[in-house]
Amino acid sequence: MSVVSYCVLRTVRSYTMSSPIRTKVLQLSENELSMQAATAVESLMKGNIIAVPTDTIYGVAGLAQSSEAVNRLYNIKSRDPAKPVAISVADVSDIYRWSRVTVPDELLHDLLPGPVTVVFERNKNLNVHLNPQTSLVGIRIPQHDFVRKLTRACNEPLALTSANISSHRSPLSVEEFRELWPSLDLVFDGGVLSECSVSRLGSTVVDLSVVGKFKIIRAGSAEQSTVDILQNKYDLREIAR
C-alpha cells in the first residue's frame, strides 16, 4: 500500500478546458510523519509545489535549488518577481551551508527553531536564480516536526512563502487557501495552527548581515522576544528602520 493511499483525507477535483486537475489533501499524523515526509519529498523532487503547515501560518514550498520550481512558486502566488522568498532548512548547522553567518552559533540556537527568519549574505552554494536581485537570503527553521523532517530528507533548502495570493491574508487553516489547491500537487493539513491572530503576522524577519548590528525587516509574531535576545544577551545594536 502506498503512503498516499492511507493518508489521503480528501481529493479535490477541478477542471481546466482540457483535463481535470486533482489535488490530494493529506491529514498529518504524528505516527506517520516520516512516511508523509517521504511522500512530500517525492513530489518536490518532481518539481512540484506543495502546501505545508509551519509554526506560524501555512506555506507553499518548492525546492530552492530548482529554478523551475521557484518560478512555479511565484506564478502560483502571483508574486512580484522583485520580492524575495526565504528558504527553509532543517537545522542550525544548515544555515552555514547557504549563507555567510556573522553571529555566534549560540545566538542562532537561541532564535531557532522558531518563528524567526534570519537574514545573511548568501553564499555561492545557493541557486543563483533564487532572489537574483539581492545578495541577501532569509533563512527559516520552523518549529514544526513535519517541515523539518521533509527538509532534512531533501538535503537541500525549500523555497517557502505564505500560502496565499500575494497581499491576501495569511492562512491558519488549509480551507483559507482553497483557491490555490488546484495549482498544488499536495496539501498537508495540520489542522488550525492557532486561534491567535498574531500568528497571521508570520515570522519576524531580522537582518543580521552586518557584524554587531541587527535590523528588523518585518515585525512578525516574535519581534519583542527577538529584540530582547539580540540586545540584552548579545549586545547587538539596532539599525533604525
Side-chain angles (χ1 to χ4, degrees):
M1 181 183 295
S2 70
V3 174
V4 171
S5 65
Y6 63 79
C7 293
V8 170
L9 173 65
R10 53 196 182 277
T11 300
V12 179
R13 178 179 292 179
S14 61
Y15 290 85
T16 63
M17 292 182 65
S18 57
S19 61
I21 301 173
R22 299 172 69 86
T23 300
K24 294 184 177 68
V25 182
L26 292 84
Q27 182 74 50
L28 289 179
S29 167
E30 280 294 325
N31 296 328
E32 299 168 353
L33 283 187
S34 294
M35 290 181 289
Q36 291 174 325
T39 299
V41 171
E42 182 179 0
S43 177
L44 290 167
M45 290 299 181
K46 294 176 181 177
N48 294 318
I49 304 301
I50 65 174
V52 297
T54 73
D55 50 359
T56 54
I57 59 178
Y58 277 86
V60 285
L63 294 181
Q65 296 298 85
S66 166
S67 299
E68 181 182 352
V70 171
N71 289 337
R72 185 172 292 139
L73 189 69
Y74 273 87
N75 290 336
I76 288 172
K77 282 180 57 72
S78 300
R79 187 177 177 88
D80 181 352
K83 294 180 66 175
V85 296
I87 63 173
S88 179
V89 298
D91 300 288
V92 166
S93 58
D94 296 323
I95 297 174
Y96 296 84
R97 183 178 173 189
W98 308 105
S99 69
R100 298 178 181 140
V101 177
T102 59
V103 297
D105 190 69
E106 183 184 1
L107 184 154
L108 295 178
H109 280 90
D110 281 342
L111 296 179
L112 300 167
V116 178
T117 299
V118 293
V119 178
F120 294 110
E121 291 282 339
R122 60 194 290 150
N123 67 25
K124 64 181 181 180
N125 296 327
L126 193 62
N127 179 5
V128 296
H129 300 294
L130 177 76
N131 310 330
Q133 70 281 8
T134 178
S135 63
L136 303 176
V137 61
I139 305 179
R140 276 273 271 143
I141 306 178
Q143 182 67 277
H144 197 287
D145 286 346
F146 175 70
V147 178
R148 295 184 70 191
K149 279 180 181 293
L150 80 88
T151 308
R152 193 174 290 119
C154 284
N155 196 35
E156 61 180 279
L158 302 180
L160 178 67
T161 183
S162 55
N164 58 353
I165 300 296
S166 287
S167 80
H168 290 200
R169 189 170 73 159
S170 296
L172 297 177
S173 73
V174 297
E175 297 296 334
E176 291 184 321
F177 60 93
R178 196 181 182 99
E179 70 276 13
L180 296 185
W181 289 8
S183 301
L184 305 172
D185 187 53
L186 297 170
V187 174
F188 289 91
D189 186 355
V192 177
L193 300 181
S194 176
E195 299 293 343
C196 178
S197 61
V198 173
S199 291
R200 291 192 192 275
L201 299 176
S203 65
T204 294
V205 182
V206 57
D207 186 344
L208 296 169
S209 63
V210 179
V211 176
K213 300 178 182 180
F214 73 93
K215 182 177 182 178
I216 299 295
I217 298 175
R218 183 177 73 193
S221 58
E223 179 185 18
Q224 190 56 58
S225 60
T226 300
V227 171
D228 285 346
I229 288 170
L230 297 178
Q231 287 184 332
N232 299 331
K233 185 171 181 178
Y234 295 96
D235 201 29
L236 269 60
R237 183 164 62 86
E238 183 171 11
I239 300 172
R241 305 179 203 182

